[in-house]
Amino acid sequence: LAKTTQPISMDSYEGQEVNITCSHNNIATNDYITWYQQFPSQGPRFIIQGYKTKVTNEVASLFIPADRKSSTLSLPRVSLSDTAVYYCLVVFSSGSARQLTFGSGTQLTVLP
Amino acid sequence: KAGVTQTPRYLIKTRGQQVTLSCSPISGHRSVSWYQQTPGQGLQFLFEYFSETQRNKGNFPGRFSGRQFSNSRSEMNVSTLELGDSALYLCASNFEGGNGYTFGSGTRLTVV
């Protein structure tokens, strides 16, 4: 059964590191794992993408274990403006069909 | 560089009517995908087009259809609207092999 699981919500204080994990069994072996940020009334915005191990860009890091059954988005030193909903996006494949599947989203609230 | 453009931004329709939504991808992007976002179901994949061909399809009834034109612009059509079709419809484009999908701001459809 294609399913992703994310925590519904998380609270953090400014300046702290935040880690959000998405569990995703049996995802397609050849597709990337991608994370998005969404503010109210806007479309999701790309944060980071990876295939395995660790990827880092100027805003986040992404950790993917060897079995690719989960991925962890790491936001260093969050600020109030990082308050948003964060989604993982993975691909489940069945035969030739590919299902692009978003996680249910994690509401991150950054407190002063 | 222009982003993904969706029109219209807001739409109100009556049950039983049909609706067509439009999406213009980023120049050079040939992949366009569509998503429905509701508070109860989250972000759900509708379908993906590449070079005018539907490449993948989510689990939505046949009332939901789409197409892509030679200039990569895409339209999504919903026939015989139901109250439950009220949602934010998001379009995203992707450059094959590039980083993730770029989303538009969506079309907010309200069915009354």
Side-chain angles (χ1 to χ4, degrees):
Chain A
L1 180 64
K3 183 178 170 64
T4 59
T5 304
Q6 295 181 237
I8 295 173
S9 63
M10 296 180 73
D11 289 344
S12 180
Y13 289 97
E14 279 191 292
Q16 289 188 325
E17 177 184 75
V18 170
N19 296 308
I20 305 173
T21 296
C22 176
S23 299
H24 33 72
N25 284 327
N26 303 317
I27 60 173
T29 56
N30 298 323
D31 278 284
Y32 286 98
I33 297 165
T34 314
W35 282 80
Y36 291 85
Q37 175 193 58
Q38 189 178 27
F39 297 109
S41 302
Q42 295 184 23
R45 186 176 72 95
F46 172 86
I47 301 173
I48 196 166
Q49 176 179 273
Y51 182 72
K52 59 181 178 180
T53 65
K54 178 183 175 182
V55 179
T56 298
N57 63 20
E58 62 276 9
V59 298
S61 293
L62 180 59
F63 300 90
I64 303 169
D67 63 7
R68 289 175 30 98
K69 292 187 176 183
S70 66
S71 59
T72 299
L73 172 71
S74 180
L75 304 172
R77 299 179 300 283
V78 294
S79 63
L80 296 177
S81 63
D82 292 320
T83 294
V85 181
Y86 292 82
Y87 294 93
C88 61
L89 173 63
V90 299
V91 180
F92 292 97
S93 63
S94 175
S96 60
R98 292 168 71 242
Q99 287 282 328
L100 284 72
T101 303
F102 275 94
S104 52
T106 298
Q107 171 67 59
L108 171 65
T109 301
V110 180
L111 306 168
Chain B
K1 185 171 174 180
V4 176
T5 304
Q6 290 189 246
T7 56
R9 284 298 310 275
Y10 302 93
L11 203 51
I12 299 176
K13 288 286 189 178
T14 305
R15 260 186 313 175
Q17 287 187 311
Q18 71 147 16
V19 67
T20 299
L21 312 181
S22 179
C23 172
S24 294
I26 290 175
S27 178
H29 286 193
R30 293 195 293 165
S31 169
V32 173
S33 53
W34 288 87
Y35 304 83
Q36 181 196 65
Q37 186 171 29
T38 60
Q41 298 297 319
L43 275 157
Q44 292 190 288
F45 169 67
L46 281 155
F47 26 66
E48 180 185 26
Y49 287 87
F50 181 81
S51 293
E52 302 179 65
T53 301
Q54 187 179 88
R55 189 159 66 171
N56 295 288
K57 191 175 188 305
N59 296 322
F60 278 81
R63 300 185 296 107
F64 291 81
S65 63
R67 59 178 175 168
Q68 187 180 32
F69 302 96
S70 58
N71 62 358
S72 293
R73 191 177 71 84
S74 178
E75 288 181 348
M76 191 194 95
N77 185 78
V78 187
S79 63
T80 319
L81 283 166
E82 301 176 359
L83 295 179
D85 297 331
S86 295
L88 179 67
Y89 289 88
L90 291 157
C91 162
S93 73
N94 170 261
F95 176 74
E96 290 292 291
N99 259 356
Y101 293 83
T102 302
F103 282 81
S105 297
T107 294
R108 172 76 60 186
L109 171 65
T110 302
V111 182
V112 297

